[in-house]
Amino acid sequence: MRVDVTSVVDDRGTTDVAGHDVLAPDCPSRVVFGRIGERWTMLVILALARAGTLRFTELKTQVGRVTPKVLTETLRALEDDGLISRRAFQDSPPRVEYSLTPLGESLLEPIDAMRAWAERHVPEVLAARERAASA
Amino acid sequence: MRVDVTSVVDDRGTTDVAGHDVLAPDCPSRVVFGRIGERWTMLVILALARAGTLRFTELKTQVGRVTPKVLTETLRALEDDGLISRRAFQDSPPRVEYSLTPLGESLLEPIDAMRAWAERHVPEVLAARERAASA
DNA sequence: ACGTCCGGTATCTTCAACGGAACTTCCCTC
DNA sequence: GAGGGAAGTTCCGTTGAAGATACCGGACGT
């Protein structure tokens, strides 16, 4: 199929029912994995999932050692993707509340699958890493 | 507040049954998300999942425009984590075969959950992105 | 009048990832 | 003896994300 890199593997049903080629660099799953692979997004999403709603500084302390700049970037990106919503009140001092959108909440399911895998298998991964390091 | 990353949020059951704090920077899920967030790992794992076994150059062509150096790095990292196995034969010309370990195969399940989410929801994400871009 | 809180910006620097191209070793074929 | 795989390695350069630090503007308390 079109897309340059393509046709890499037409010979064995590599595209799913929806017509996506999971190996193509522009596959939707790449978009998703790219986003959740970024350093702070998971932490932000999980923090919001727990708290429901958090203000900027609350988020900052919950998430850990993130600098305001990077946190802002992360939040903007997630907002642009429709995963979180930002409501600003013009109180003084300023108040801004972040929370998950329904779309963001729906992402919790696959995230949790990943987390479950991690909890079950990370000991094996760490053991393998240690073996590799000492070798 | 004590800053040590721990005990960030003891006030609301934030640790799961296994005692992991999902928000801690050293949480196992971070390890996993970090790894799969890297640029080529997904592609390698999915290619191997399909083919079963691949040689270096086969992998290289399947995965796309990856340079040998980066592919080697990716493969080494995955091998160190126990997700793929590398068998070298001393034929000539050299032959090396890569395949998923059982651990690597077990990772396919959460990956697929993620992929399923992506396929269902990426249109919404892209729509949100476009709204954000034009605003 | 002064400092504080809040939600950020602005600027600078550092660091790891990624990439390109050439080189290597070993054996084989032409 | 010239060339050609296979599976990398080495050297070098670029880039983009992340971090540190400082600052801002407006209301508020004291």
Side-chain angles (χ1 to χ4, degrees), chain A residues 55 57 72 76 86 94 96 98:
Chain A
R55 307 176 55 171
T57 42
T72 302
R76 294 281 189 273
R86 175 185 189 277
V96 181
Y98 293 94

Side-chain angles (χ1 to χ4, degrees), chain A residues 97-119:
Chain A
E97 288 185 352
Y98 293 94
S99 53
L100 289 181
T101 62
L103 183 60
E105 277 170 22
S106 76
L107 185 56
L108 288 174
E109 193 184 318
I111 284 177
D112 232 57
M114 212 69 189
R115 196 170 58 78
W117 186 93
E119 280 164 16

Side-chain angles (χ1 to χ4, degrees), chain A residues 6-63:
Chain A
T6 65
S7 79
V8 196
V9 261
D10 283 336
D11 48 316
R12 24 163 114 225
T14 56
T15 58
D16 62 28
V17 273
H20 298 299
D21 182 348
V22 198
L23 280 189
D26 57 338
C27 167
S29 56
R30 295 290 304 165
V31 174
V32 176
F33 282 112
R35 174 68 69 227
I36 69 170
E38 277 163 36
R39 180 149 189 198
W40 301 105
T41 51
M42 286 288 304
L43 262 28
V44 167
I45 288 177
L46 288 172
L48 288 177
R50 277 185 191 159
T53 289
L54 287 171
R55 307 176 55 171
F56 187 83
T57 42
E58 289 172 335
L59 217 30
K60 191 157 124 50
T61 55
Q62 294 247 338
V63 161

